């Protein structure tokens, strides 16, 4: 687990409509020091049809983003084909296999965690994924809120990240959110 951030992705249906939301905190940490409080670690890809966020080494994360975006373009935005090709390419490259970063990518139909070792993981419940040092806190909060409230997706993600920011020293409550 990387001591760098917290990213939370959430997808499914709300009030009969499909949705996808991703959020992330703004803290950048170097060892036990905060370097920046308002970093943006989430973005949209492929003409605003895919949401993504990263945790880990910033330079490594940009390598992940670049590679994934290239594959996503070649697959005309097909998220499933893109993550599979991403994993295949990843495992062939000695340098890439050692990146210290992870990504969450999602749209309204699919959600995946992509690791710096080339793994592609679909969350067990198929709708909530979290990465980073505060990821388990945000994941736990999101599962509880999902099961026991009827919050709109954006509010669920924001509240879950706030809870993580109150517990994890590598996560703050300067939260940014994107949604489809």
């Amino acid at each position: 687990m990387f001591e760098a951030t917290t990213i939370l992705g959430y997808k499914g249906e709300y009030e009969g409509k499909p949705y996808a939301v991703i959020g992330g905190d703004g803290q950048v940490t170097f060892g036990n020091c905060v370097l920046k409080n308002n970093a943006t670690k989430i973005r949209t890809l492929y003409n605003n049809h895919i949401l993504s966020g990263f945790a880990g080494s910033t330079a490594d994360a940009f390598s992940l983003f670049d590679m994934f975006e290239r594959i996503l373009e070649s697959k005309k935005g097909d998220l499933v084909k893109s993550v599979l090709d991403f994993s295949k390419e990843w495992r062939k490259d000695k340098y890439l296999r050692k990146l210290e970063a992870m990504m969450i990518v999602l749209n309204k139909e699919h959600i995946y965690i992509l690791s710096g070792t080339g793994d592609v993981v679909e969350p067990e419940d198929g709708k909530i994924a979290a990465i980073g040092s505060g990821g388990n806190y945000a994941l736990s909060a999101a599962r509880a809120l999902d099961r026991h409230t009827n919050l709109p997706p954006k509010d669920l993600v924001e509240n879950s990240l706030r809870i993580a920011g109150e517990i994890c020293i590598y996560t703050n409550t300067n939260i940014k959110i994107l949604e489809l």
Side-chain angles (χ1 to χ4, degrees), residues 3-4 66 112 129:
E3 299 174 341
D66 289 345
Y112 300 100

Side-chain angles (χ1 to χ4, degrees), residues 44-125:
T44 60
L45 303 173
Y46 197 73
N47 304 315
N48 299 322
H49 289 93
I50 307 288
L51 300 174
S52 63
F54 74 88
S57 162
T58 304
D60 289 354
F62 285 125
S63 294
L64 276 171
F65 271 132
D66 289 345
M67 180 180 176
F68 187 72
E69 275 187 299
R70 182 178 41 78
I71 293 169
L72 194 59
E73 288 292 327
S74 74
K75 299 297 175 194
K76 297 181 172 60
D78 186 317
L79 187 57
V80 176
K81 288 180 182 177
S82 296
V83 297
L84 293 175
D85 278 8
F86 173 83
S87 179
K88 288 175 190 173
E89 260 191 62
W90 197 264
R91 294 183 181 279
K92 291 178 187 175
D93 191 304
K94 286 184 205 175
Y95 168 74
L96 291 175
R97 281 186 265 157
K98 296 178 184 175
L99 293 184
E100 295 181 355
M102 296 178 83
M103 287 176 58
I104 292 176
V105 293
L106 72 151
N107 60 16
K108 292 179 181 180
E109 294 82 34
H110 304 283
I111 183 168
Y112 300 100
I113 297 171
L114 309 177
S115 79
T117 57
D119 296 317
V120 175
V121 179
E122 186 172 19
E124 186 174 327
D125 64 6

Side-chain angles (χ1 to χ4, degrees), residues 4-6 24-29 33-39 41 168-174:
T5 196
T6 302
D25 76 313
Q27 186 162 300
V28 175
T29 311
C33 295
V34 175
L35 293 180
K36 188 173 181 175
N37 283 308
N38 62 350
K41 299 172 247 177
C168 178
I169 63 170
Y170 297 104
T171 303
N172 68 17
T173 56
N174 186 354

